Amino acid sequence: MSTNSFQEHFDSLIDRDITIEPKDWMPEDYRKTLIRQISQHAHSEIIGMLPEGNWITRAPSLRRKAVLLAKVQDEAGHGLYLYSAAETLGISRDEMYQQLHTGKAKYSSIFNYPTLTWADMGAIGWLVDGAAIMNQVPLCRTSYGPYARAMVRVCKEESFHQRQGFEIMLTLSKGTEVQRKLAQDAFNRWWWPSLMMFGPPDAESPNTEQSVRWKIKRFTNDELRQKFVDVTVEQAKVLGLDMPDADIKWNEERGHYDFGKINWDEFWNVVKGNGPCNKQRLDARKKAWEEGQWVRDAAMAHAEKRKARKKAA
Amino acid sequence: MTLAYTLQLADDALIIGHRLSEWCGHGPILEQDIALTNTSLDHLGRARSLYQYAAEQFNQLPADKKESFFTSVALMQVVKAGNAIDEDDIAYLRDGWDFRNLQLVEQPNGDWAHTVARSFFYDCFNFLYFSELTKSSDSKLAAIAEKSLKEVTYHLRWSSEWVVRLGDGTDESNARMQEGINDMWMFTGEMFMASEADKHAAADGTGVDVTQLKSLWEQKVGEILDEATLTKPTGTWMQQGGREGRHTEHLGYILAEMQFMQRTYPGMEW
C-alpha cells in the first residue's frame, strides 16, 4: 500500500468508529498527539498523588485515612495503565519520566495548587475528580484502542472518588460552623482552578480541532466546561455552599448557567511554572526518582545474577 | 486483660501502617509504591478491627476501671462525659505513654533498605505470631489472626524478596541493606520479651507466648540473610520499653502529625 492508501485506510477506520490498534498504521502526528496526551495524563495521575498524599498522615479518622490511602493508590494504578498504553506507541516509561523531570512534558496544572486543609480532600474529590470525569468519560470512546480501554477502568474508579469527595464535603457541610467554613474555603480556592482544567477557550486551543477530527477528543473544552458548571451549581446547592462566582446566573435562553470570567493569565502562569507548587511537586518526583536509582539498579543487577545462575545450573 | 493485649497489637498495626503510608507517592518504582501502599492498608485495616474490638471491651468496663485505664486527658473527657469511645478516640486521643507498640515499628523509614529491614523483621515475627494467634481461645482475636495471616504471608514474601534483591544486587545496595539490618537489629529483641499483657494472654489461651517464637524467627531471618549474602548482626543488647509505653523520640512526632485534626477540632464527625 502506498502512504496514501494507508492514510485512506486509517481515515476509514476513524470514520467508521473502529479503534486504531498499536499495530495499525497511523499518521505520525496522530501518534505524537496521543503520546503527548496519554503521557500528560499519566504524569497528572502521578503528580496528582502528591497533593492528596499530603494529608494521608493527618486524616481525621481511621476510616478517612484508609479511604484516602486507597484513593491515592488508585491514582498510582491509573498512572501505571496509562504509561502502559503510551508504551504501545513506542515510547518507554523511562523516557516519559525523563520528559516530566526536565519539564518537557506537562501535567494537569491543578496539582500545582496546595492542599491546605482537610476540606481540600473533599473539594479535590468533588471538583477536580468531577472535572476529570467530564474530560475523561468521552475518552472511553477515543479512537486509540489501548487508551480507550485504560480509560474505561480509570473512569470507573474516578467516579467512585468523586462520590467520596462529595461525601466528605457533605459531612463537613452538615457539621459544625467551623467545618462549614472549612468546606466553603476549600470550595473558594478550588473552584476556579477546576474550571481551568478543561483547558483554554476553544478559540485559543491549538490542538482541539485536529483532535476532534481524529476522534481523540469528542467534545471541545468549552462544551465540557459548561457541562461541569451546570452540574456543580446544583451540587453546591445540596451542600448549602455559596458559589465563589458572583456572575453565576441561569440563562433561560441558552439552557445553561452563565459564569464569570476565568483568569487565563493565572492559568498560563501556572502552566509556565509559576504556580504555588510547581517546583515543589516536580522536586518531589525528581527526588523519588533519583533516590530510587540505586534500588532500581539493584533490582536489575539481582535479576541478571539470577538469570546467569539459572543458565549455569 | 484482653483489652491491654488487644491494644498493643492494634498499636503495632497502626504505627507500622502509618510509617509505610509515608512512602505513598515517593517510592523508587511505581509498582512498589502500589505494593507498599497495599501493605500499609492491610496494617491499617487490622488496626481498625483491633481498635474496634478494644473499644467494645473498654465500653463494658465498670466506671472506676474506665477512669483509670488511660492517662490521656482528652480521652478521659470523653469517658467522664459518659460517652462510649470508638476506634478513633483510642487512636487519636492518647499520648505516647498509652501507646504499647514495639519500638521497631515507629522507627523512621530512612532509605528503601531501612524500610525493607524494618518490615522484614516485623513481617517475619508477624507470620509466626499470627500463625499461633489463629488458635486463640478468643474467637474475635482468632478471626482477626486468620485474616491477617493471609496478608502477613504476602508481606513476608515481599520483604524477604527485597532483602535478597538488595543484599545480592549491587555493592551499593548490599552495603545499604546491611546497614538497614544493623540499624534495626537492636529493636528486634523486644518482640520476644513478654509484656504483662502477653503473659496473661499466653496463660489464659487468648494470646501467644512470644518467648517461644524467638528461635524460629532467628532461623528464618538467618536463612534469608544467608541467601542475601548479608551478615546477621551479633549484638545482643536490645532496646525495650514500647510495650510499657516508653518509646523512642520518633513516636511523639508521629502522634503530633497523626492526631492534629482530632486535637484541633475536638468532638466532630469527619
Side-chain angles (χ1 to χ4, degrees):
Chain A
M1 280 198 281
S2 64
T3 309
N4 238 352
S5 54
F6 277 124
Q7 179 74 51
E8 277 163 24
H9 180 65
F10 173 85
D11 289 343
S12 92
L13 290 178
I14 295 277
D15 289 343
R16 286 179 292 151
D17 270 333
I18 296 172
T19 55
I20 307 299
E21 295 300 328
K23 285 186 176 150
D24 291 337
W25 182 90
M26 59 188 85
E28 208 39 45
D29 282 347
Y30 176 84
R31 184 188 299 276
K32 273 192 200 146
T33 301
L34 276 167
I35 289 178
R36 181 178 54 79
Q37 186 172 330
I38 302 172
S39 67
Q40 184 170 319
H41 190 166
H43 297 326
S44 300
E45 297 284 354
I46 300 307
I47 295 272
M49 293 170 75
L50 299 171
E52 289 177 286
N54 186 34
W55 279 88
I56 289 171
T57 54
R58 293 179 293 167
S61 74
L62 295 176
R63 181 174 81 91
R64 291 291 185 204
K65 189 193 279 291
V67 170
L68 181 61
L69 193 50
K71 182 190 171 181
V72 180
Q73 186 193 30
D74 283 346
E75 286 158 7
H78 298 171
L80 205 53
Y81 343 130
L82 289 163
Y83 283 128
S84 305
E87 281 177 323
T88 64
L89 292 158
I91 184 169
S92 71
R93 208 200 294 180
D94 283 8
E95 269 175 275
M96 289 184 267
Y97 281 148
Q98 194 63 29
Q99 292 177 351
L100 173 67
H101 297 159
T102 55
K104 191 183 164 217
K106 298 289 179 206
Y107 56 86
S108 182
S109 275
I110 193 87
F111 301 119
N112 292 317
Y113 289 87
T115 52
L116 303 178
T117 74
W118 169 253
D120 290 13
M121 298 304 99
I124 288 181
W126 173 38
L127 300 170
V128 176
D129 293 333
I133 291 166
M134 298 236 168
N135 268 328
Q136 292 170 3
V137 166
L139 292 175
C140 299
R141 294 189 299 124
T142 193
S143 59
Y144 188 58
Y147 190 25
R149 289 188 289 274
M151 289 315 299
V152 170
R153 230 172 125 180
V154 170
C155 284
K156 273 189 197 147
E157 292 177 352
E158 289 294 355
S159 67
F160 188 58
H161 296 166
Q162 202 260 349
R163 282 203 297 276
Q164 284 168 354
F166 187 76
E167 201 252 325
I168 290 176
M169 294 303 274
L170 198 59
T171 307
L172 293 174
S173 70
K174 285 180 176 167
T176 59
E177 198 184 331
V178 70
Q179 285 175 302
R180 280 190 295 279
K181 201 170 160 185
L182 281 169
Q184 184 68 55
D185 167 71
F187 187 24
N188 295 350
R189 281 182 290 109
W190 291 95
W191 169 248
W192 292 107
S194 299
L195 291 188
M196 296 175 197
M197 281 178 72
F198 296 93
D202 295 346
E204 293 158 35
S205 176
N207 303 315
T208 292
E209 198 192 336
Q210 178 65 70
S211 287
V212 169
R213 199 149 56 77
W214 276 334
K215 295 184 181 171
I216 293 174
K217 253 173 134 162
R218 297 266 176 175
F219 299 98
T220 70
N221 296 353
D222 286 333
E223 284 167 350
L224 290 168
R225 185 167 16 246
Q226 182 66 59
K227 197 173 161 200
F228 177 73
V229 170
D230 292 346
V231 169
T232 309
V233 172
E234 297 306 322
Q235 290 171 340
K237 284 182 195 166
V238 175
L239 296 173
L241 296 176
D242 299 326
M243 288 304 296
D245 175 358
D247 296 328
I248 289 276
K249 217 175 98 201
W250 179 252
N251 183 323
E252 195 61 54
E253 201 178 310
R254 293 201 307 124
H256 290 293
Y257 280 98
D258 290 336
F259 54 96
K261 208 168 154 348
I262 293 169
N263 184 346
W264 292 111
D265 194 31
E266 174 180 320
F267 172 78
W268 288 115
N269 263 291
V270 180
V271 169
K272 271 183 243 158
N274 297 330
C277 301
N278 293 59
K279 181 167 164 34
Q280 183 185 333
R281 301 288 184 240
L282 213 49
D283 283 353
R285 286 311 312 167
K286 282 195 272 195
K287 183 168 182 276
W289 181 252
E290 281 157 17
E291 289 181 358
Q293 190 61 50
W294 71 270
V295 179
R296 295 189 298 277
D297 290 345
M300 196 70 86
H302 180 70
E304 291 297 325
K305 282 186 187 175
R306 281 181 89 98
K307 212 158 69 185
R309 279 199 290 259
K310 208 170 167 188
K311 216 172 165 186
Chain B
M1 275 320 278
T2 312
L3 173 54
Y5 186 70
T6 308
L7 280 170
Q8 67 178 38
L9 281 181
D11 291 342
D12 283 348
L14 177 65
I15 301 301
I16 190 77
H18 181 97
R19 276 297 190 218
L20 294 176
S21 80
E22 293 172 354
W23 272 105
C24 185
H26 306 278
I29 301 168
L30 189 51
E31 285 82 347
Q32 295 306 322
D33 206 307
I34 295 172
L36 209 52
T37 305
N38 239 356
T39 302
S40 171
L41 279 165
D42 288 342
H43 290 304
L44 189 54
R46 186 172 77 254
R48 293 190 62 197
S49 303
L50 289 163
Y51 281 133
Q52 285 161 13
Y53 183 41
E56 196 182 308
Q57 295 172 59
F58 180 87
N59 290 328
Q60 286 165 7
L61 292 176
D64 60 320
K65 280 263 175 60
K66 275 187 192 171
E67 288 182 21
S68 60
F69 197 88
F70 295 116
T71 43
S72 159
V73 176
L75 190 52
M76 277 310 103
Q77 280 170 347
V78 178
V79 173
K80 282 184 180 156
N83 296 320
I85 64 166
D86 63 16
E87 53 171 348
D88 291 325
D89 295 323
I90 303 179
Y92 292 104
L93 299 182
R94 288 175 304 154
D95 193 1
W97 54 11
D98 277 337
F99 272 78
R100 299 301 156 105
N101 59 279
L102 298 163
Q103 291 182 355
L104 176 68
V105 297
E106 70 204 32
Q107 295 312 303
N109 288 338
D111 66 1
W112 188 250
H114 279 78
T115 293
V116 165
R118 186 187 59 201
S119 280
F120 171 59
F121 289 149
Y122 180 61
D123 296 343
C124 194
F125 169 76
N126 262 354
F127 176 75
L128 299 169
Y129 189 96
F130 285 112
S131 301
E132 286 300 308
L133 194 65
T134 55
K135 299 173 213 154
S136 171
S137 60
D138 181 311
S139 60
K140 190 93 189 188
L141 289 178
I144 292 171
E146 194 78 45
K147 181 172 183 285
S148 303
L149 186 57
K150 291 192 192 107
E151 297 166 352
V152 165
T153 305
Y154 170 77
H155 302 166
L156 177 59
R157 201 174 75 203
W158 182 89
S159 53
S160 302
E161 282 173 5
W162 271 105
V163 170
V164 172
R165 203 172 278 136
L166 296 180
D168 188 25
T170 61
D171 289 346
E172 181 182 3
S173 72
N174 176 279
R176 283 178 183 260
M177 193 63 240
Q178 187 67 58
E179 196 183 332
I181 293 286
N182 295 351
D183 289 353
M184 294 295 168
W185 184 253
M186 68 174 172
F187 298 106
T188 58
E190 193 180 23
M191 297 190 284
F192 310 103
M193 297 173 195
S195 65
E196 282 307 305
D198 283 322
K199 285 178 196 160
H200 279 275
D204 69 12
T206 53
V208 176
D209 181 355
V210 287
T211 60
Q212 296 293 308
L213 304 178
K214 193 176 179 188
S215 60
L216 276 171
W217 182 87
E218 291 216 329
Q219 191 190 326
K220 175 73 185 164
V221 165
E223 282 168 17
I224 297 292
L225 292 181
D226 275 349
E227 194 187 337
T229 70
L230 295 165
T231 310
K232 192 171 155 201
T234 50
T236 52
W237 180 257
M238 292 289 164
Q239 301 303 321
Q240 58 175 308
R243 293 285 191 234
E244 278 78 48
R246 281 194 323 281
H247 291 276
T248 59
E249 290 178 349
H250 307 296
L251 184 67
Y253 292 95
I254 293 179
L255 298 182
E257 187 171 341
M258 186 173 78
Q259 299 179 335
F260 119 86
M261 285 293 292
Q262 289 272 348
R263 302 295 190 141
T264 312
Y265 304 98
M268 296 179 203
E269 292 293 322
W270 298 98

